[in-house]
Amino acid sequence: MKKLIIDAHNISAGGGFAHLFELLAHIDAVEGGRFDTVEVVVSPQTGKKLPKFNKIIVRTPAILDSGLKLSRIFWFLFFYTTLFPQRNTVLFSVGGFSFRRKSTLVLLQNVLPFHLNVRRLYPELTLRLKFSTLKFLYLFSSRFAERILFPSHIAYNSLIHNYPGLKQKSRVVHHGISRNIFLSAPGCLGNRDKIHKKEVIKLLYISVFTPYKRQFNLINYFLISDLDKLGVSLSFVGMISAEDQKKLDIVLDNCQGRGVQYLGHLKFTEMREVYEEHDILVFPSLIESFGIPMVEAAATNMWVIFSNPQFKEIMGINDYQRYSVAESDFCEKIREVIDLHRAGTIDLFDRHLNTGFRTFEDTARETLMYLEEMLQDSK
């Protein structure tokens, strides 16, 4: 009996959940490939977001929703030492943690713990201890596991640059977009001219609110640069903590009428309509392991502006050219792009679906093939 176990106990939202959702859908569609049994372990809360599968068994240990960190650690140790079968079983740790060596693949998506200069944005002692602990666990898991998977060369270099000994057992498999969401009917993209007769340029930033993503910095720069007076608006989408929500409410109250708004934490299935209603995706994040919103925006032919030159890799996956890099003054680059549009050099309203883009189906297929290779090698 050949078995695949997917450990996703710490995946709950964002790009990690989108990747997990698409991976499971593909594995279920091909009936587990060469695996006789496929199980996924998620928290009860995450389990509620998943559809019913024909082939995949979804396990939701109640302890994963307890909110107690020590409870999660005890469950994790119990899972690996007691519940985990050893023979003819491949483990895929989507969350990046593993205490098992043989036939184990870890996916490293969280690169923040490996960037000390970015970690300095978090002065709280508890968070510094958390990042140090995560770095230790990711590094231990990567060294201990049989193989390592990365969603980009950006993530790959975050680890391999300082630990070249792990290079031989590492592979990069790029993320993609959802075929069902982004490669279906054209939606409202054909109505761009009607929507924008008043030449309102709509900026969009999609990401979880956290210091290295720089949402509050962007609002400040937007207001100081008076971009709203140029007929520009700025919208945010993403998960936000209660503390940051209070801070954001104060900021939005103080800048009412200046075109800044928060649209909420939306489901990834609702995102295509949001992309279609905006013109430029702005992405001032300092680091990313991938940056799925950049590819999703590009799928709708949206102009993309980002601050980290390394993100060119993400644009290059689909040979996408409608982007700008803002290495210094982010709002000045926004002005530059808008000026080019109004001069007729580029057309921000030229919107259509790029149907040849890489999809999560491609990602899932390549990942499953990699897991099946491990099954073959373990014999």
Side-chain angles (χ1 to χ4, degrees):
M1 180 73 71
K2 293 167 288 190
K3 189 173 189 178
L4 170 63
I5 297 181
I6 301 172
D7 177 16
H9 75 276
N10 55 342
I11 302 296
S12 60
F17 178 78
H19 169 257
L20 176 66
F21 184 96
E22 297 286 345
L23 174 69
L24 296 177
H26 173 75
I27 292 176
D28 197 53
V30 299
E31 298 184 345
R34 291 171 54 196
F35 293 97
D36 299 304
T37 305
V38 180
E39 295 183 9
V40 60
V41 180
V42 295
S43 68
Q45 189 172 357
T46 300
K48 292 176 183 177
K49 302 177 186 178
L50 294 174
K52 289 187 177 180
F53 298 109
N54 296 318
K55 178 72 178 181
I56 301 172
I57 301 169
V58 180
R59 301 202 180 278
T60 56
I63 197 171
L64 293 179
D65 266 354
S66 68
L68 299 175
K69 300 297 182 183
L70 285 178
S71 297
R72 280 175 168 263
I73 293 172
F74 287 137
W75 171 85
F76 195 60
L77 291 170
F78 181 69
F79 171 71
Y80 276 95
T81 58
T82 306
L83 298 181
F84 204 95
Q86 297 298 316
R87 298 189 60 186
N88 297 321
T89 302
V90 173
L91 170 68
F92 181 28
S93 175
V94 180
F97 301 132
S98 173
F99 291 163
R100 185 175 185 260
R101 183 187 299 276
K102 187 177 169 121
S103 302
T104 299
L105 174 66
V106 294
L107 173 63
L108 187 63
Q109 298 190 88
N110 184 5
V111 297
L112 173 58
F114 297 96
H115 291 265
L116 184 59
N117 59 325
V118 180
R119 285 165 52 183
R120 291 193 179 104
L121 296 174
Y122 300 81
E124 299 89 344
L125 179 59
T126 53
L127 287 177
R128 291 191 175 189
L129 289 173
K130 174 185 176 181
F131 295 141
S132 295
T133 303
L134 285 174
K135 180 180 178 180
F136 169 79
L137 290 173
Y138 286 138
L139 186 56
F140 174 85
S141 299
S142 298
R143 285 172 166 167
F144 203 60
E146 184 175 320
R147 301 189 190 183
I148 314 167
L149 192 66
F150 298 90
S152 68
H153 287 92
I154 302 170
Y156 172 91
N157 291 329
S158 295
L159 183 65
I160 303 302
H161 177 73
N162 291 317
Y163 306 98
L166 300 175
K167 183 176 181 179
Q168 297 302 318
K169 62 178 184 178
S170 300
R171 184 178 296 187
V172 173
V173 174
H174 288 121
H175 286 339
I177 58 172
S178 170
R179 180 183 299 277
N180 293 334
I181 297 174
F182 290 94
L183 298 182
S184 54
C188 67
L189 288 180
N191 301 322
R192 303 306 291 167
D193 293 335
K194 294 179 182 178
I195 294 173
H196 289 291
K197 280 187 176 180
K198 293 183 180 180
E199 285 286 301
V200 176
I201 307 295
K202 296 185 176 183
L203 310 180
L204 175 67
Y205 188 17
I206 301 173
S207 203
V208 60
F209 277 70
T210 192
Y212 77 88
K213 303 283 189 174
R214 303 199 294 180
Q215 281 94 343
F216 290 105
N217 302 69
L218 181 59
I219 294 174
N220 188 43
Y221 298 151
F222 180 89
L223 298 175
I224 292 175
S225 302
D226 290 327
L227 287 178
D228 57 305
K229 295 179 181 178
L230 297 178
V232 182
S233 67
L234 174 61
S235 301
F236 292 92
V237 173
M239 187 165 60
I240 187 170
S241 66
E243 183 180 350
D244 279 343
Q245 181 68 69
K246 292 178 182 177
K247 182 179 176 181
L248 181 62
D249 289 340
I250 294 173
V251 171
L252 294 180
D253 284 342
N254 291 335
C255 66
Q256 284 187 15
R258 298 199 61 182
V260 181
Q261 62 176 336
Y262 172 58
L263 301 179
H265 178 210
L266 306 179
K267 298 178 182 178
F268 76 96
T269 53
E270 301 173 309
M271 289 312 304
R272 179 175 152 181
E273 184 178 349
V274 177
Y275 288 115
E276 292 179 347
E277 292 174 350
H278 293 79
D279 307 301
I280 302 175
L281 181 82
V282 291
F283 213 81
S285 178
L286 293 174
I287 55 168
E288 292 290 330
S289 63
F290 190 83
I292 290 175
M294 290 187 284
V295 182
E296 292 177 339
T300 68
N301 215 46
M302 196 174 188
W303 200 276
V304 181
I305 302 176
F306 50 82
S307 57
N308 190 333
Q310 290 182 312
F311 297 162
K312 290 180 182 179
E313 176 194 347
I314 310 306
M315 297 290 97
I317 294 169
N318 299 292
D319 194 26
Y320 190 72
Q321 302 299 320
R322 284 168 60 86
Y323 70 87
S324 301
V325 184
E327 295 188 50
S328 53
D329 191 328
F330 202 91
C331 284
E332 185 57 36
K333 181 59 68 173
I334 294 174
R335 274 181 189 268
E336 180 184 312
V337 170
I338 292 174
D339 288 343
L340 289 172
H341 166 73
R342 289 177 173 163
T345 306
I346 62 174
D347 185 2
L348 296 177
F349 303 156
D350 176 20
R351 303 293 296 282
H352 56 265
L353 294 179
N354 291 308
T355 55
F357 268 36
R358 177 181 176 84
T359 67
F360 266 122
E361 190 174 281
D362 300 317
T363 306
R365 183 178 61 254
E366 293 172 21
T367 302
L368 184 59
M369 288 175 60
Y370 195 29
L371 290 164
E372 289 175 344
E373 284 178 26
M374 295 175 62
L375 181 67
Q376 182 67 29
D377 293 345
S378 66
K379 290 183 178 180

